[in-house]
Amino acid sequence: MKYRYDEFTWPEIKEAVRQEKVVVLPVGTVEQHGPHLPLAVDNLTSGELSRRAVERVPEEAVLMPQVSYGFNEHHLDFPGTIAISHEHFVGFIVDIGRSLAHHGFRKLLVINGHGSNIPFLEVACRRICNTTPAIAAIAAWWNLAKPAIREIRESPKPGGMSHGCELETSVILHLRPDLVQMDKAVKDIHFQPSKFIWWDLEEGSPVRFMEHFSRMSKTGVIGDATLATEEKGRKVVEYTVDRLVELIREFRRRRIDPQVDHH
Ligand SMILES: [Zn+2]
């Protein structure tokens, strides 16, 4: 059964709308991930986790072509990073949502692979909710994976799992081992100690802050990539895909209650 949005014909899209399918939109970025990982990490994670989930429930969802660029101007000190300004990024996502709503889709799930996309994807989803008949929600994949992350984790908290780290490297070792150069993997956790400000994918700090990445890391990594294994990555991927399937099913059944104007 087909599940890729752009492989459908227009009558097939019309039928997918009639079946009230959830539209899943993976969003990543092109960005340095240290000396051992490719620029594609956040596209590989968000894209493949989304694909595996939708492939399991093609009767419930369709998979959009990925948005491969995101917000990451703080990484520009490292060669390769492609940074999209926040207003273009938000506008691009909102335009996708508006087009989907125009065709009759009512449920958009944005599956994100890059931490710094989150505030802008939240704004975009709110704009879609407030300006179209559709609803849109965003999930960063690691936030769905917390129990599996706690199970596999060996690196110190906070900091061991942040960027090009134990977690991301393990997941790429599972998804695309041919793209990982483990002989170049490093441990690099050198941000300033603080009660309020740190970087960690398992638990972010209460104060949100991001400065130029090169002020905090000489290698482009924050975390301990040397602890990554394919087995850890497999566990996290399997757990996350299960949660994504559940999320798609629940979101498809979610009611959109009538809006009430109380003037
Ligand atoms: Zn990443």
Side-chain angles (χ1 to χ4, degrees):
M1 193 171 176
K2 270 199 269 199
Y3 60 86
R4 289 183 188 274
Y5 183 93
D6 57 349
E7 292 183 359
F8 285 42
T9 63
W10 74 255
E12 287 168 342
I13 288 290
K14 192 172 167 179
E15 178 59 18
V17 168
R18 198 192 59 76
Q19 292 173 5
E20 301 181 352
K21 289 187 179 180
V22 172
V23 180
V24 174
L25 174 66
V27 181
T29 198
V30 175
E31 168 182 305
Q32 77 82 18
H33 274 75
H36 67 301
L37 287 175
L39 305 177
V41 167
D42 299 344
N43 285 330
L44 292 169
T45 53
S46 56
E48 183 60 10
L49 291 166
S50 301
R51 192 199 66 74
R52 289 186 188 194
V54 176
E55 185 185 40
R56 269 176 43 189
V57 283
E59 67 287 352
E60 312 241 19
V62 293
L63 179 70
M64 289 292 281
Q66 180 163 47
V67 174
S68 300
Y69 300 96
F71 181 87
N72 55 12
E73 53 196 27
H74 53 298
H75 279 277
L76 279 170
D77 286 333
F78 294 90
T81 300
I82 301 296
I84 306 301
S85 62
H86 72 276
E87 59 270 48
H88 295 162
F89 182 56
V90 171
F92 196 88
I93 302 293
V94 171
D95 286 350
I96 291 171
R98 285 200 179 124
S99 301
L100 290 166
H102 173 77
H103 299 310
F105 288 104
R106 291 295 176 262
K107 308 275 176 69
L108 174 62
L109 263 184
V110 177
I111 305 303
N112 175 47
H114 171 54
S116 293
N117 283 348
I118 291 174
F120 309 104
L121 290 175
E122 286 185 354
V123 169
C125 286
R126 286 175 185 229
R127 293 290 296 152
I128 293 164
C129 287
N130 293 340
T131 62
T132 79
I135 58 172
I138 171 234
W141 67 263
W142 56 89
N143 286 331
L144 297 170
K146 295 280 176 76
I149 289 172
R150 280 192 283 273
E151 195 191 311
I152 60 133
R153 183 166 192 154
E154 292 181 274
S155 59
K157 240 195 301 194
M161 289 184 165
S162 179
H163 187 77
C165 54
E166 180 188 14
L167 178 61
E168 283 192 312
T169 307
S170 294
V171 171
I172 300 301
L173 276 172
H174 176 61
L175 296 179
R176 287 295 302 273
D178 56 309
L179 294 177
V180 184
Q181 302 176 47
M182 274 311 278
D183 56 316
K184 299 192 175 117
V186 294
K187 177 182 181 180
D188 187 344
I189 308 170
H190 293 107
F191 53 77
Q192 299 173 46
S194 163
K195 268 167 100 167
F196 301 101
I197 295 171
W198 65 79
W199 292 274
D200 198 274
L201 292 170
E202 189 188 329
E203 195 183 346
S205 62
V207 174
R208 308 296 298 156
F209 172 61
M210 182 53 76
E211 59 183 332
H212 292 296
F213 208 78
S214 62
R215 289 180 177 153
M216 304 181 286
S217 169
K218 287 190 169 57
T219 62
V221 167
I222 294 181
D224 190 349
T226 67
L227 295 172
T229 68
E230 187 277 336
E231 173 70 7
K232 290 179 182 177
R234 185 183 58 74
K235 282 185 180 162
V236 169
V237 166
E238 286 174 0
Y239 183 88
T240 310
V241 172
D242 285 347
R243 296 292 78 70
L244 277 171
V245 166
E246 268 187 341
L247 170 64
I248 288 167
R249 290 199 166 118
E250 191 205 278
F251 201 60
R252 180 156 177 251
R253 281 153 190 78
R254 186 179 182 82
R255 284 194 329 271
I256 303 179
D257 289 329
Q259 207 180 330
V260 181
D261 185 345
H262 289 284
H263 288 93

